[in-house]
Amino acid sequence: MIVRTRAKQESGERMTGAREVMVNSAFSLTILSLLSVGPAAAQEVMEMTGEDRWIEADFEEVYRIGSLDGQEWEQFGTVSTVAFDGAGRLYVLDSQVSQIFLVDTDGTLIRAIGRAGEGPGEFRSMRGMVAMEDGRLVVRDTGHRAYHVFDPNGEFERMVRMGGDPSFTIAGLLLPQRGANAVITTPLGSREFAVSSGALSERDPARSRPIELVSLAGDEAVTDTIVDGWLPPGEGDEPNLFGLPTPLTFDPKLHWGVLPDGSVAFADSTTYAVKIAAAGTGVSRVLVRPFPPEPMTDRLMRAEKNRRLRELEAIPDEELGGVRGIVNGQPIRRDPGEERQRRREDIESMEFFEEVPVIRGLFVAWDGTIWVRRRGEEPGNANGPVDLLTPDGTYLGSLPAEGTRIPRAFGPDGLAAFVETDELGVRTVVVGRLSVG
């Protein structure tokens, strides 16, 4: 069994984790020295209690859309993204039909936006959308290498070229910057899609995970780095498709969201540290709770491998024997036994990060409340309690792990949207008002 330890940090990089962060009176100083990111500036550390205060969340359903028995437009194929604008209207991106459906506050369809095609306002490859506060819609199209901008009525307005290297495009999580003609994205974050027509070997390895501000004011997007998130070391020496180290099991992901003032809240390490950063100033505040990461051990590694092996054995042969490719128009199927053995070997050869991260998700509600999902009791359980924090470092309370779902989209006045899939694969979008007490 192998545990990969962190490589020696280059100048300006930082170490994070239980071995470096001691939960004591020196916690603030340690966090400041170890978690500095971006330009040199004073960073305020807000230490919050380590005692959970349990609160409850109520959800009052307003409407739901998506049904085999419903109207034709709401027979969704793949609901990739949902989002609200400032008026509480809902946007639903169905990537299977290459359209976006604009829904009024009572659940009725206002109009369908866009379609597959080659012209302006038509999509080759939709890879994310954002609804701006004023009702404009921005759709990222990696096929056109451009952003399509639609006005609040859903009419095509203009196209903004992505710019940069046309041989390689990475599309990460995309969120709007409120009150501005810009979006924020992570080209090397935790959820990526890459399109490449160039030689990957010619790309320089990534040294950080930047969160970037993309201005859409002109004919071509202008990108500026808000903050460079820490990039943990990975498996082997060769970068993967994205120019990143091959991920280790339990390495810390980059979790982030956009606050109402345009700054970002993010977590990039194994510790419980939520950082607030803005373009031009870097990290100004760090929100911490005294929950140290758990050191990796042989016992934890074996338990995680056994858990994955049990999950593998529960997969039926017909699912493992899926189509792996098409040759001369004929599907070539995998041999279930060979595929099962290959996956067993992959599990047994897994390499692990040296600590188990505390934070497993971070989301920002419309009002700026930061929702932080912690790990569960077992290292492989990413659905632990959810802490609610304010950007100034106030701990509001925690929602229990059991029964707590984080909305796919937050809207004004407590609006929230969830996407549900039934046993037949039918997608339903449920919209309601969320209140936390």
Side-chain angles (χ1 to χ4, degrees), residues 120-121 124 138-149 156-166 168-170 174 181-183 185 212-224:
R124 289 180 185 170
V138 177
V139 181
R140 179 172 53 197
D141 185 342
T142 55
H144 279 103
R145 293 203 79 251
Y147 297 92
H148 302 262
V149 182
F156 176 74
E157 188 176 278
R158 61 196 180 95
M159 188 178 288
V160 181
R161 299 187 304 275
M162 287 184 179
D165 182 1
F168 195 86
T169 303
I170 301 179
L174 189 70
N181 194 9
V183 294
T185 188
E212 297 180 344
L213 176 67
V214 182
S215 172
L216 305 177
D219 295 330
E220 183 171 305
V222 177
T223 300
D224 183 30

Side-chain angles (χ1 to χ4, degrees), residues 32-33 36-45 276-277 281-286:
L32 276 176
S33 63
S36 297
V37 186
Q43 296 177 8
E44 182 182 17
V45 174
I276 310 298
T281 61
V283 175
S284 60
R285 184 177 298 120
V286 184

